[in-house]
Amino acid sequence: MHEPSAPIPAPLTIPAPRPTGSGAVDQAVAVWSALAELGLAEAVLSPGSRSAPLVYALAADEVAGRIRAHVRIDERAAAFTALGLGRLDPARPAAVVTTSGTATAHLHAAVMEAHHSRIPLLVLTADRPAELREVGANQTTRQAGMFRSLVRLAVDLPAPTAEAASPVELRTAVSTAARALAAATGEHPGPVHLNLSFRDPLVPRAEESEQPDRTAAPERIVVTRRVPAPAPAPQPVPVDSRTVVVAGDGAGPAAAALADAHGLPLLAEPSSGALMADGLVPRHPALLREVMADPAHPLRPRRAIVLGHPTLSRPVVGALLGAPDVEVVVVDPHPDWPDVARRASLVVPAAIGQEIPGTGQEAAGAGQDAASAGAAPAAPAAPEIDLVQRRAWVEAWRTAADAAAARLPQPWQQRAALAVWEASGPGDLLVLGSSSLVRDLEQHAGPTSAQVIANRGLAGIDGTTAMAGGLALARAAQDGPGERGRTRLLVGDLTALHDLTGLLVGPEEPRPELDVIVVDDGGGRIFSGLEHAAAPPALLRRFFTTPHGADIAAVAAGLGADARSLEADELPATLAEPAQGLRVLVVQESLSEVPRNS
Ligand SMILES: Cc1ncc(C[n+]2csc(CCOP(=O)(O)OP(=O)(O)O)c2C)c(N)n1
């Protein structure tokens, strides 16, 4: 028999909502009450009529003050804001609420990112009742189930009775909301979709005098609380002196712990959450390219243990994890583990390293080989002390990585990215956009104690500013005053322009404390470094680089941000200034040479 490991939680109930004269509002009150009871504390709403019951319900006595509301005009910005708001605490996702029709389509990108990044997200879309579907009713489309396999749960909840939701309708809504939250935060975290049909009236109608006796104890509705399964038990993974640990996006401290327990080199992405490891090999991609191009290279690994979601560099994802002589082991508790080269021989939900005996000598040999090639001083060979040999190997990796990185060009954009990286320390949160800057940091940045987050689920350039705003708002709500550092977002100019509505935070809304640093080089630099670099220059420029000629600081200021343009050399000093509110710093190489649309 198993001993119970945790106290049994007490049953959870909410009061049945007081009748409002609108079944839709009654049901919305019940849904919010249940979600609040289960820990949901943030909701992002976009304006619309069909979703009005969810707005009125937020102000109802049963809910008021328990869920913080944020309003965004653009549903895509709303959804990415919710993604950021729910990202720091996997047990407390945020909700996004829209009206019916095309509004729902704008949620799609955030739902995709939430699916691939495994971020809990509650999507609540309002819809018309069955009698108004497929008959040409205004703003009515086939939105039930529209996110298909991207969501962990999709429910098309029928509309409650017009004037008052019945007990079974309320119980159904509450139980569905609880099930949705459990699915979003369960063993495979991600987005869920509740399509809520509302029948007129959509506004509360009851006069105070018509309310039932407010002193009577209301009937209570049970709220299902699902206790999540315990974290999976670690399974042994083979480790030897030629093993490296790869920490992709979101790998977390487990990657650092595994590497350090065995003295292994750790090849970590900036948003891995593992950059504190002793075995970290900063600036590894250029070296890894050399290592994997040479089957006899003294640093060549024979095994890679992968945690998180690696996507950034071809030397890691293609050359290392695709090499026929490298055994790939993946550590991932979810059914959609990453294995791009389809070479993983073992997948475990959590790992504990198990040394393969008899390979200790080779680590010392590798360290000495690399050192004699001018890469690292050899540690004294001490075969009986395995960790000493391993340290020599890690040192050899580090020294060779620095040497390979030093041979690369250092464009001004990269220096700007490093200035932002270096300005971020303990307590700070750095959000990285997709594209070249995150790769610059993977190639050139050192360790950091700042928290680093990026949308690497699908690496979109959409919604990044809104997502960072959500993160900043969540941090402000979590921490006591004065305890948190700054939240910064580092993006390219196309990424910034793509999500301008992410800057649109109305004057009555909670305002994110956020620095948006835009490295404006007049288009997408990334394409010049890919195979398209060989394209005819005019074609590369117009169809890939995509010059825009926009004055981003002026646009951002027009949207209400405290925005300014500055030259790259001014960035370190500007970042060191005490900052407040939503700032946009548009960094250019030289302010006098920026082409503008007239
Ligand atoms: C929504 C979306 N559209 C298109 C892309 C393809 N894409 C990847 S990077 C990029 C250019 C980004 O340019 P910028 O933000 O200026 O960054 P830079 O490359 O200059 O660092 C584009 C269009 C994408 N990732 N996501």
Side-chain angles (χ1 to χ4, degrees):
M1 242 183 72
H2 291 294
E3 291 295 320
S5 53
I8 298 168
L12 220 57
T13 60
I14 55 166
R18 295 195 183 89
T20 62
S22 157
V25 178
D26 295 349
Q27 188 192 66
V29 171
V31 166
W32 282 135
S33 303
L35 292 174
E37 204 60 40
L38 290 167
L40 184 131
E42 308 272 7
V44 191
L45 302 96
S46 294
S49 211
R50 192 53 48 175
S51 49
L54 288 158
V55 173
Y56 290 109
L58 276 179
D61 289 350
E62 295 91 330
V63 185
R66 301 172 72 196
I67 296 178
R68 181 166 68 148
H70 309 263
V71 182
R72 296 292 182 274
I73 296 168
D74 174 3
E75 288 82 6
R76 190 185 72 182
F80 274 101
T81 302
L83 198 67
L85 277 163
R87 197 165 181 152
L88 294 177
D89 182 350
R92 291 163 73 89
V96 58
V97 176
T98 74
T99 190
S100 61
T102 53
T104 59
H106 298 288
L107 307 175
H108 224 119
V111 168
M112 293 171 103
E113 180 61 29
H115 164 64
H116 288 279
S117 285
R118 304 156 172 180
I119 304 169
L121 174 69
L122 247 84
V123 174
L124 307 181
T125 55
D127 202 349
R128 280 178 173 64
E131 62 269 24
L132 290 176
R133 296 193 194 173
E134 304 293 343
V135 290
N138 184 38
Q139 228 175 291
T140 307
T141 184
R142 296 173 183 173
Q143 63 188 56
M146 64 185 286
F147 301 112
R148 302 174 68 104
S149 61
L150 295 168
V151 287
R152 307 293 177 262
L153 178 75
V155 177
D156 186 19
L157 206 63
T161 310
E163 308 296 334
S166 71
V168 70
E169 286 167 343
L170 291 172
R171 266 208 327 277
T172 304
V174 166
S175 128
T176 304
R179 194 173 279 271
L181 204 82
T185 57
E187 282 75 51
H188 189 203
V192 292
H193 179 201
L194 298 187
N195 192 52
L196 303 171
S197 310
F198 293 132
R199 189 172 278 127
D200 288 8
L202 302 176
V203 298
R205 280 211 304 216
E207 297 299 322
E208 192 66 19
S209 57
E210 291 168 11
Q211 295 267 3
D213 180 3
R214 281 179 170 269
T215 57
E219 189 194 326
R220 298 194 74 84
I221 304 172
V222 69
V223 180
T224 310
R225 176 160 46 192
R226 178 175 187 259
V227 176
Q235 303 294 325
V237 294
V239 166
D240 69 4
S241 54
R242 289 307 189 95
T243 300
V244 295
V245 178
V246 171
D249 177 61
L258 180 66
D260 288 348
H262 296 271
L264 302 174
L266 179 80
L267 313 179
E269 293 193 355
S271 60
S272 62
L275 295 179
M276 73 302 281
D278 290 340
L280 182 72
V281 181
R283 300 173 270 279
H284 63 269
L287 168 64
L288 191 62
R289 182 177 292 115
E290 291 172 12
V291 168
M292 298 315 297
D294 175 4
H297 198 288
L299 293 177
R300 194 170 176 94
R302 69 167 146 245
R303 181 179 301 105
I305 303 177
V306 181
L307 294 93
H309 182 203
T311 57
L312 280 184
S313 67
R314 293 179 185 191
V316 172
V317 178
L320 173 66
L321 302 180
D325 60 336
V326 174
E327 178 188 336
V328 176
V329 174
V330 177
V331 184
D332 192 324
H334 301 301
D336 51 351
W337 65 82
D339 178 23
V340 173
R342 297 188 179 275
R343 298 203 67 262
S345 56
L346 176 67
V347 180
V348 296
I352 182 157
Q354 193 170 88
E355 292 284 343
I356 306 295
T359 51
Q361 287 287 1
E362 295 161 44
Q368 282 159 359
D369 285 356
S372 59
E384 69 277 11
I385 309 171
D386 201 42
L387 280 179
V388 172
Q389 302 161 2
R390 300 275 166 95
R391 246 171 250 137
W393 201 43
V394 170
E395 242 354 274
W397 270 89
R398 283 206 188 116
T399 312
D402 283 349
R407 291 192 285 274
L408 298 173
Q410 266 239 327
W412 69 269
Q413 298 95 323
Q414 194 184 96
R415 292 200 305 278
L418 284 170
V420 178
W421 185 264
E422 274 146 27
S424 303
D428 290 335
L429 171 64
L430 178 57
V431 184
L432 301 175
S434 305
S435 206
S436 316
L437 297 162
V438 63
R439 292 181 170 83
D440 289 336
L441 291 172
E442 186 192 35
Q443 179 56 72
H444 292 285
T448 184
S449 44
Q451 187 177 5
V452 183
I453 286 182
N455 275 344
R456 297 307 305 170
L458 283 182
I461 62 165
D462 43 355
T464 317
T465 306
M467 204 268 303
L471 279 163
L473 287 162
R475 270 158 59 85
Q478 271 181 350
D479 304 337
E483 286 169 15
R484 65 191 164 273
R486 190 80 182 147
T487 304
R488 299 188 181 91
L489 167 66
L490 174 66
V491 282
D493 44 306
L494 293 196
T495 306
L497 286 168
H498 204 291
D499 194 27
L500 283 175
T501 56
L503 290 174
L504 193 51
V505 180
E508 298 180 20
E509 298 310 307
R511 213 166 166 72
E513 287 286 326
L514 175 69
D515 279 355
V516 179
I517 298 108
V518 183
V519 176
D520 181 5
D521 50 9
R525 175 169 53 109
I526 191 162
F527 299 113
S528 310
L530 302 178
E531 46 275 65
H532 316 294
L539 184 144
L540 171 69
R541 192 173 157 71
R542 181 171 171 216
F543 291 97
F544 293 96
T545 309
T546 334
H548 48 79
D551 182 342
I552 298 175
V555 177
L559 291 170
D562 169 10
R564 65 182 127 146
S565 295
L566 56 145
E567 296 194 350
D569 295 344
E570 300 171 70
L571 187 58
T574 309
L575 291 171
E577 290 166 7
Q580 268 201 326
L582 179 51
R583 286 202 310 178
V584 176
L585 305 174
V586 183
V587 188
Q588 285 146 345
E589 184 174 22
S590 155
L591 293 183
S592 56
E593 287 166 26
V594 183
R596 292 271 177 252
N597 292 328
S598 51

